[in-house]
C-alpha cells in the first residue's frame, strides 16, 4: 500500500515538472524533464496520495520509455509529456525512463500494475522477454499499448501497436541508396540496438531489398551502433579503416548517421559526396546536414505519437476495441528538398 502512495506522488511530481516545461519546441529541453523512475521515487512523500490512480476520474497512464538514446526518442518523450501537461485536467501520466535497460522497463510495468493504472504504455527496448510481465498486466485487467516498437509476444497479450512499418522503411532506404550510388558499389550498414524491432526489421527490409533488386551492390560490413551518435561514429571509424572503398552508409537512425558523418569528415572524406548516406527518422539535425550537403536521404519515422497514444488509451479505458496495428504514415526526404522543408519540420 505504501508503495502505491509513493508512486502516486511520483506521477503528480512528474506532471508538475512537465507543466513547467510545456510550450517548448526544443525537444531536448522537454526530454530533460524526464527523470529516471528510480530518482523520482526518492523525491516522493505520502501526502499526494489522494490524486492516485484509484480516484478513477482521470485517465491514468503509466508509460515505460526506453531512455534518451536519440533525438527521435527525445521528440517522442516530449510529445507524450506535452500532451499530458496540456491535458492535466483529464490525464495523469506516470512516466518512467528505463535508461536503456529492459529490467527497468519491467520494474516500471510492475509498479504501474501495483498502482492500478488504467492503461500501460511501453516502447520495448528489445522484442523478447515480455511474456510474463504482460501476462501479469493482463491478469490485473490493464491493457498494454506498444508504442513505436513491437514485442515478440502472443497478440492476445497487448491491446495495440502504434507505430511505423520498419520493414518498409528498410526497403525504401535500400531503393534510395541504390539511386544515390547508381545501382552499384560497396556499402556498409550501421544497425540499431541488438534485439530491438526497429533494428531487426530495418535490417531485414534493407538487406532483402538489396539482395532482390540490386545485385551489384554489396553490403561489406554491418554492425550495431546502438542507435546513438557516439555509437555511429565509433562503428564508422572502424568501417573506414577496413573498407576504404565504400561509397555509401545506411544507418538505422539519423543519430548514428550524424555520428558516421563526423567519422567520415575526420577521415578526410566528404560525407554526402564521397560516401552517400541514407538513414531513418527525419530529425531536424539530419535536415541540417542535408542542407549543408553532408547527408543525402532520410526515411521519416514519426515520433509525435503522444496525442494518438492518449486517445487510444482513453478508448481502451472505455472498453472500446482498437485496431491491433495503428500504422504511422511516413514520408521520405532527400537533400534536394531539405532546404524547402526544414523550417516546417516539427521534430
Ligand atoms: O523505435 C524507433 C527508433 O528508436 C528510432 O528510429 C530511433 O532513433 C530510436 O532510438
Amino acid at each position: 500500500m505504501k508503495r502505491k502512495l509513493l508512486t502516486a506522488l511520483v506521477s503528480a511530481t512528474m506532471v508538475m515538472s512537465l507543466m513547467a516545461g510545456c510550450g517548448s519546441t526544443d525537444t531536448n529541453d522537454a526530454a530533460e524533464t524526464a527523470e529516471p523512475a528510480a530518482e523520482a521515487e526518492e523525491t516522493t512523500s505520502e501526502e499526494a496520495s489522494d490524486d492516485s490512480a484509484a480516484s478513477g476520474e482521470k485517465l491514468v497512464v503509466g508509460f515505460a520509455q526506453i531512455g534518451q538514446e536519440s533525438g527521435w526518442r527525445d521528440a517522442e518523450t516530449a510529445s507524450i509529456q506535452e500532451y499530458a501537461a496540456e491535458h492535466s485536467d483529464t490525464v495523469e501520466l506516470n512516466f518512467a525512463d528505463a535508461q536503456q535497460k529492459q529490467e527497468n522497463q519491467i520494474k516500471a510495468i510492475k509498479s504501474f500494475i501495483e498502482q492500478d493504472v488504467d492503461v500501460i504504455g511501453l516502447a520495448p527496448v528489445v522484442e523478447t522477454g515480455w511474456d510474463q510481465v504482460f501476462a501479469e498486466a493482463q491478469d490485473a485487467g490493464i491493457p498494454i499499448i506498444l508504442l513505436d516498437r513491437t514485442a515478440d509476444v502472443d497478440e492476445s497479450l497487448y491491446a495495440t501497436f502504434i507505430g511505423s512499418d520498419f520493414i518498409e522503411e528498410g526497403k525504401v532506404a535500400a531503393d534510395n541508396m541504390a539511386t544515390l550510388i547508381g545501382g552499384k558499389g560497396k556499402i556498409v550498414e550501421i544497425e540499431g540496438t541488438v534485439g530491438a524491432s526497429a533494428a531487426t526489421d530495418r535490417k531485414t527490409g534493407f538487406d532483402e531489398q538489396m539482395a532482390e533488386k540490386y545485385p551489384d551492390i554489396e553490403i561489406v560490413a554491418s554492425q550495431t551502433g546502438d542507435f546513438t551518435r557516439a555509437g555511429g561514429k565509433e562503428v564508422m571509424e572502424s568501417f573506414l579503416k577496413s573498407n576504404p572503398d565504400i561509397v555509401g552508409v545506411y544507418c538505422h537512425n539519423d543519430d548514428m548517421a550524424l555520428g558516421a558523418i563526423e567519422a567520415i569528415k575526420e577521415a578526410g572524406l566528404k560525407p554526402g559526396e564521397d560516401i552517400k548516406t541514407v538513414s531513418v527518422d527525419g530529425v531536424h539535425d539530419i535536415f541540417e546536414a542535408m542542407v549543408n550537403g553532408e547527408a543525402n536521404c532520410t526515411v521519416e519515422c514519426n515520433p509525435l505519437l503522444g496525442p494518438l497514444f492518449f486517445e487510444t488509451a482513453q478508448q481502451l479505458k472505455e472498453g472500446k476495441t482498437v485496431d491491433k496495428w495503428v500504422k504511422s504514415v511516413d514520408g521520405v526526404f532527400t537533400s534536394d528538398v531539405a532546404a524547402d522543408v526544414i523550417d516546417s519540420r516539427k521534430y
Side-chain angles (χ1 to χ4, degrees):
M1 186 64 184
K2 189 175 177 193
R3 184 169 172 79
K4 279 193 181 183
L5 299 180
L6 288 173
T7 43
L9 183 58
V10 173
S11 176
T13 308
M14 291 302 295
V15 169
M16 282 166 67
S17 71
L18 295 172
M19 286 172 77
C22 179
S24 168
T25 53
D26 183 337
T27 55
N28 293 317
D29 281 356
E32 277 165 20
T33 65
E35 296 170 48
E39 269 177 42
E41 279 188 5
E42 285 168 19
T43 68
T44 60
S45 75
E46 296 183 13
E47 278 147 27
S49 57
D50 289 346
D51 286 340
S52 76
S55 70
E57 288 161 15
K58 291 182 178 181
L59 167 67
V60 182
V61 171
F63 189 78
Q65 180 58 289
I66 293 170
Q68 302 175 40
E69 77 279 11
S70 64
W72 188 98
R73 182 75 43 208
D74 293 346
E76 183 187 66
T77 293
S79 175
I80 292 164
Q81 294 184 332
E82 283 170 11
Y83 185 96
E86 284 161 13
H87 297 81
S88 58
D89 51 337
T90 54
V91 162
E92 187 174 319
L93 170 66
N94 188 355
F95 184 91
D97 177 338
Q99 301 180 331
Q100 256 62 43
K101 292 196 175 83
Q102 183 180 35
E103 66 196 74
N104 288 346
Q105 289 194 304
I106 290 173
K107 271 185 212 156
I109 293 170
K110 285 176 182 283
S111 165
F112 299 149
I113 294 169
E114 273 190 56
Q115 292 166 56
D116 195 22
V117 300
D118 296 315
V119 177
I120 292 172
L122 170 72
V125 61
V126 291
E127 275 187 290
T128 56
W130 300 106
D131 301 73
Q132 192 182 324
V133 75
F134 280 21
E136 286 172 31
Q138 191 169 64
D139 288 347
I142 302 173
I144 289 179
I145 297 176
L146 298 177
L147 200 70
D148 95 65
R149 290 188 191 172
T150 52
D152 188 10
V153 293
D154 190 274
E155 275 196 4
S156 63
L157 287 176
Y158 64 91
T160 183
F161 164 57
I162 301 173
S164 300
D165 184 337
F166 295 140
I167 291 182
E168 188 57 28
E169 288 173 350
K171 287 184 181 177
V172 172
D175 290 340
N176 280 273
M177 177 61 83
T179 302
L180 282 163
I181 62 173
K184 61 177 190 302
K186 292 180 180 173
I187 62 167
V188 289
E189 177 170 358
I190 306 183
E191 302 167 29
T193 302
V194 175
S197 63
T200 307
D201 291 353
R202 284 173 186 165
K203 181 168 180 59
T204 299
F206 186 86
D207 292 7
E208 286 184 0
Q209 188 82 338
M210 280 296 174
E212 274 170 34
K213 288 182 67 180
Y214 308 108
D216 296 329
I217 297 176
E218 189 187 353
I219 304 168
V220 292
S222 185
Q223 198 179 306
T224 180
D226 209 14
F227 279 130
T228 67
R229 205 173 284 215
K233 185 175 180 200
E234 197 182 320
V235 172
M236 194 65 190
E237 281 167 352
S238 96
F239 280 172
L240 286 168
K241 280 180 196 142
S242 41
N243 306 279
D245 51 350
I246 51 173
V247 293
V249 56
Y250 163 53
C251 300
H252 291 186
N253 80 347
D254 290 341
D255 273 61
M256 293 192 296
L258 290 159
I261 287 167
E262 281 178 41
I264 295 167
K265 286 201 280 190
E266 284 174 17
L269 296 166
K270 286 187 180 165
E273 285 184 35
D274 298 326
I275 297 178
K276 310 288 188 195
T277 77
V278 178
S279 50
V280 185
D281 277 356
V283 299
H284 196 269
D285 286 357
I286 204 74
F287 275 86
E288 262 178 29
M290 286 198 287
V291 170
N292 295 334
E294 295 183 339
N296 302 97
C297 175
T298 185
V299 180
E300 189 180 41
C301 178
N302 182 14
L304 307 179
L305 301 172
L308 187 54
F309 170 67
F310 283 104
E311 284 157 19
T312 306
Q314 181 62 37
Q315 287 170 352
L316 290 170
K317 181 178 178 176
E318 290 167 11
K320 294 183 181 151
T321 311
V322 298
D323 289 344
K324 211 69 193 179
W325 184 0
V326 182
K327 210 183 278 191
S328 302
V329 180
D330 302 312
V332 55
F333 298 91
T334 50
S335 51
D336 48 337
V337 301
D340 294 335
V341 300
I342 189 168
D343 289 339
S344 63
R345 298 297 300 167
K346 293 196 171 68
Y347 64 96

